Amino acid sequence: MKVVPSRAEHVNALKAEEFDVLIIGGGAVGCGCAVDAACRGLKTALIEAEDFASGSSSRTSKLIDGSGSYLGTALREKDVEQLYIMLQMMSERVTMLKNAPHLNRIQPMIIPIYSFLQMPCTWLGLKVYDWISAASNIRGSHIISREATMYEFPLLKTDGLRGGVVYYDGQVDDARMCVALVMTAVALGANVGNHMEVVEIMPQEGCCRVVSVKDKISCEQFYIQSKAVINATGSSTDAIRQMDKEGTAPILLPTLETQVSLPRYFGSGHYGLLSPALKNDDLTVYMVPFENHMVLGSREVDLDEVSSRGSPTPDPDDVDCLLEAAKKRMDPCVELGRCHVLSAWTAIKASVSCPTDKENDDDKRGTPINSYMIEVSPDGLITLAGGRWSSYRVMAADAVDLAIKSCGLCDDHVTSSWTQDLKLDGAESWCCMLPLEFVQDYGVPMDVAHHISDSYGYNGHALFSQAPDLKKRLHPSFPYIEAEIQYAMRNEYACTLVDIIARRLRIAFVDAAATLHMLPRILKIMAGENGWDEEEQKEQMVAAQEFLVRQMGLGSIVQPRSTSKSKPKKKGSSEGCCCRAAVRRGARSYSMEISKKICVQPLVQHRSMSSMFLPLMTSLSYGLGR
């Protein structure tokens, strides 16, 4: 049984105690700072205006982003800094896979090749990438045949396809990773609070600060005292810097990224797809399997200003542009349009520029910083901006180092970070056989067991034990169960209906229409747990529906589906799609060949190879399972 301090206990501590470090911002970087500071023994507090990971930290490509894009830039521009950033990201990718294996997994990516010249160039570039990365590389890149490429992505354009090059990246469940960081910080003694908005920052003598905070849940306003304050608010970085000192030059260079969720049959269940831009004005398209669906991205445009209401509404024109770019990579007979989009969202990518790089013209966009930036204001506010998931831990360590140095926090405390080997919440005792444990111990279906293992790790035992009677599915097409709602409220500080559907279950980013049908059942469980009256339940339902409409594209892009059974459609003729007949036959023959290699050969050779076959299968089951 897992027991954590309640949100009320955290709020009381924030009111009464003085902290060494106060972190503003509950995204990847802010939560990373809380873990780093708490593990050194510093009295740590973390506050977030909305929910943990409510910003761009939960709206990423789902790739850890240690890929070879930086290698191409380094070679093309002869920029050594890009090479250093790439090596650092790949090292951090290995750390993430080690410290939270249930939330991070190896993701093979296929680059389709359509010319004889492109094949050796791409292969050579990725081999240089493998060689430079050395021990930080997950697995070596390799070439696959045309038939193998079509077997994984049957809908790809076949005209001119020569084969594919496979490289390996890492995939992260971004919002769940943020929650794991928060719970790790809590286990280390930090006090945290979501839905707490900063109203005012008041400097005191030395580095001491008093921060006025409004609790959006109770509408109470109070003060938090801290010796050092770290601003890690992402797209709200400039707003906090303006609170510290009016007239501060902005550093944000925001861009807006649009991504959509598609049915799984448009891609592969195991491989992702990376298709570089076909022309200078074209998009680079990627497709990544996530929650048994495909994430398609991304359309990126410059953003003039950041809204105070969270991420902007996805633009139907941007979605159409993204779908059109993806359709160019598919066979002409494949229909891909808005009717196939299950969810659509935007993310504010908060790139930054150095203030000294900007001229007096406020409208001019400065040169983006490649990695991240740390700034200390005259009043001692530490601003940590830029970066991404693959650099969050390094950024956090640098920021806490600076806080210790500039505010004299090193008395009786550890002065160096040790988060590189720190297992995150749920990772202790996790193994690839955990889903089987859940099936045997609690009698749940295997897809539910896999989902609980991948989302909660070893905490799945506590989830099932605390709610043995809540194993019913919330939707027949998804593995989410009722017990997750109760667990999220008691153990993960979920306060609202939106917190559940967007950051704890991830269903809003998978299928907005299905989420709409799940809302009444989720609300009923939450209302019983919190004792909400009818008025509060109505407010929660309206807020959740507004979130789906405004931020997930429901109505404008995603059309609600009826829950009633529709009449079966007539089976279509295959005559209009004869251009795919040869490809389908080739894919089936390739599938049969692979099956024979896997199933027949071991049976013939099992006596002579028994000594090496068992360890080989053990390693394969671990690798392929993740």
Side-chain angles (χ1 to χ4, degrees):
M1 300 297 287
K2 184 178 180 181
V3 179
V4 299
S6 67
R7 186 179 185 275
E9 291 175 314
H10 282 296
V11 172
N12 291 334
L14 292 173
K15 294 177 185 177
E17 300 179 17
E18 180 178 342
F19 295 90
D20 294 321
V21 179
L22 170 64
I23 298 108
I24 305 174
V29 177
C31 295
C33 288
V35 172
D36 193 282
C39 78
R40 302 191 198 204
L42 298 172
K43 186 66 177 174
T44 306
L46 169 70
I47 56 174
E48 161 61 39
E50 299 297 333
D51 185 29
F52 306 118
S54 58
S56 58
S57 293
S58 63
R59 300 163 182 264
T60 68
S61 65
K62 308 301 179 286
L63 293 175
I64 298 178
D65 202 8
S67 63
S69 58
Y70 287 90
L71 175 63
T73 305
L75 296 177
R76 184 172 57 253
E77 301 178 3
K78 299 179 180 179
D79 189 350
V80 180
E81 183 184 2
Q82 293 279 345
L83 190 60
Y84 171 77
I85 294 173
M86 186 198 80
L87 293 175
Q88 184 186 69
M89 286 183 173
M90 296 191 72
S91 176
E92 287 303 304
R93 183 177 64 185
V94 173
T95 301
M96 292 174 68
L97 289 167
K98 176 186 66 176
N99 290 348
H102 58 301
L103 298 172
N104 300 273
R105 51 194 62 90
I106 297 173
Q107 179 59 62
M109 301 289 292
I110 295 178
I111 303 176
I113 304 298
Y114 286 91
S115 71
F116 285 112
L117 183 61
Q118 185 186 4
M119 178 72 78
C121 292
T122 304
W123 177 83
L124 181 61
L126 288 174
K127 280 303 173 185
V128 174
Y129 167 81
D130 293 341
W131 177 74
I132 293 176
S133 58
S136 297
N137 194 22
I138 300 174
R139 292 174 187 169
S141 57
H142 56 90
I143 294 174
I144 60 174
S145 66
R146 180 179 185 270
E147 290 75 16
T149 304
M150 290 304 305
Y151 177 68
E152 292 297 337
F153 285 90
L155 302 185
L156 268 182
K157 183 175 66 174
T158 58
D159 187 21
L161 181 65
R162 307 299 178 187
V165 180
V166 177
Y167 75 95
Y168 292 87
D169 204 329
Q171 185 189 124
V172 57
D173 187 343
D174 40 22
R176 295 294 316 175
M177 183 73 173
C178 247
V179 173
L181 287 169
V182 170
M183 302 315 300
T184 303
V186 170
L188 292 168
N191 291 112
V192 301
N194 52 351
H195 300 284
M196 291 191 179
E197 183 180 9
V198 175
V199 178
E200 186 180 4
I201 300 177
M202 296 165 282
Q204 301 293 311
E205 294 182 3
C207 279
C208 289
R209 290 302 193 94
V210 175
V211 177
S212 178
V213 175
K214 180 183 178 181
D215 186 349
K216 293 183 176 180
I217 303 299
S218 64
C219 297
E220 180 185 7
Q221 188 167 329
F222 57 92
Y223 298 95
I224 302 176
Q225 298 187 38
S226 178
K227 297 176 183 177
V229 178
I230 298 177
N231 171 21
T233 52
S235 60
S236 300
T237 295
D238 281 337
I240 299 297
R241 292 171 72 245
Q242 290 285 345
M243 284 187 186
D244 178 58
K245 184 179 180 181
E246 291 188 13
T248 302
I251 61 173
L252 279 183
L253 300 174
T255 55
L256 195 66
E257 292 183 337
T258 301
Q259 302 171 69
V260 300
S261 172
L262 297 175
R264 179 178 176 176
Y265 55 76
F266 280 102
S268 167
H270 181 57
Y271 283 82
L273 179 76
L274 176 65
S275 180
L278 304 176
K279 300 177 182 178
N280 291 334
D281 58 346
D282 197 9
L283 298 178
T284 295
V285 173
Y286 63 83
M287 297 178 71
V288 181
F290 179 70
E291 296 283 315
N292 208 29
H293 289 69
M294 297 300 295
V295 173
L296 170 66
S298 68
R299 162 78 167 170
E300 186 172 329
V301 297
D302 292 338
L303 190 63
D304 295 331
E305 61 178 348
V306 178
S307 171
S308 60
R309 295 189 63 199
S311 298
T313 303
D315 189 338
D317 292 338
D318 289 337
V319 172
D320 290 340
C321 182
L322 181 59
L323 294 174
E324 186 62 29
K327 194 174 179 180
K328 291 179 182 178
R329 273 76 171 180
M330 298 183 181
D331 201 271
C333 67
V334 176
E335 294 293 333
L336 176 61
R338 286 194 206 175
C339 60
H340 299 105
V341 175
L342 302 177
S343 186
W345 65 91
T346 59
I348 299 176
K349 185 179 178 181
S351 300
V352 294
S353 65
C354 185
T356 56
D357 289 343
K358 291 191 176 183
E359 299 178 0
N360 294 329
D361 186 5
D362 294 336
D363 296 331
K364 183 175 179 180
R365 295 173 69 91
T367 304
I369 294 175
N370 291 330
S371 185
Y372 61 91
M373 185 193 75
I374 301 180
E375 174 194 61
V376 182
S377 72
D379 290 330
L381 176 67
I382 300 172
T383 295
L384 185 59
R388 58 191 72 202
W389 265 111
S390 53
S391 60
Y392 86 93
R393 196 192 64 82
V394 176
M395 294 171 65
D398 289 347
V400 176
D401 284 341
L402 185 59
I404 290 173
K405 182 179 179 180
S406 60
C407 298
L409 305 179
C410 59
D411 295 341
D412 300 325
H413 295 303
V414 179
T415 57
S416 61
S417 175
W418 52 276
T419 55
Q420 185 169 3
D421 299 315
L422 178 65
K423 293 286 188 181
L424 298 187
D425 185 63
E428 289 289 347
S429 303
W430 180 91
C431 72
C432 61
M433 298 300 291
L434 189 60
L436 185 59
E437 282 188 38
F438 293 155
V439 171
Q440 294 175 341
D441 293 348
Y442 307 106
V444 296
M446 183 55 79
D447 64 328
V448 173
H450 271 292
H451 160 66
I452 298 299
S453 174
D454 291 345
S455 298
Y456 303 89
Y458 203 72
N459 289 332
H461 282 294
L463 185 149
F464 287 120
S465 299
Q466 291 178 7
D469 299 328
L470 297 177
K471 297 177 185 177
K472 288 184 63 178
R473 295 176 187 261
L474 294 166
H475 192 283
S477 301
F478 295 92
Y480 310 116
I481 60 174
E482 296 175 339
E484 295 180 73
I485 312 302
Q486 186 185 90
Y487 183 86
M489 298 179 69
R490 293 181 179 181
N491 299 278
E492 294 180 342
Y493 306 115
C495 301
T496 68
L497 195 52
V498 175
D499 294 351
I500 296 289
I501 62 176
R503 267 85 60 179
R504 304 308 187 275
L505 296 187
R506 311 314 315 277
I507 180 62
F509 288 88
V510 175
D511 193 328
T515 308
L516 185 66
H517 296 312
M518 292 167 62
L519 289 181
R521 293 187 66 184
I522 298 175
L523 180 60
K524 183 179 180 181
I525 298 173
M526 296 188 72
E529 185 73 17
N530 283 343
W532 288 340
D533 57 20
E534 291 186 5
E535 185 65 26
E536 178 66 24
Q537 293 183 48
K538 183 178 179 181
E539 291 179 4
Q540 290 287 335
M541 179 63 77
V542 170
Q545 292 172 345
E546 181 185 357
F547 170 81
L548 293 175
V549 170
R550 193 174 66 84
Q551 296 197 35
M552 294 291 114
L554 185 63
S556 59
I557 299 169
V558 182
Q559 297 305 315
R561 300 188 295 272
S562 174
T563 56
S564 60
K565 294 184 179 180
S566 58
K567 294 182 179 180
K569 296 181 179 180
K570 293 182 179 180
K571 186 175 180 181
S573 172
S574 60
E575 295 180 359
C577 197
C578 59
C579 60
R580 303 289 292 166
V583 175
R584 287 197 295 270
R585 285 196 298 269
R588 283 198 298 268
S589 64
Y590 177 78
S591 175
M592 292 173 65
E593 291 176 7
I594 293 297
S595 300
K596 289 178 181 178
K597 289 180 181 179
I598 293 175
C599 300
V600 176
Q601 289 181 355
L603 294 176
V604 176
Q605 303 176 4
H606 74 282
R607 292 183 180 178
S608 59
M609 299 181 64
S610 59
S611 60
M612 66 175 67
F613 184 66
L614 277 176
L616 175 62
M617 288 305 295
T618 303
S619 62
L620 281 175
S621 66
Y622 176 79
L624 294 177
R626 304 310 310 145

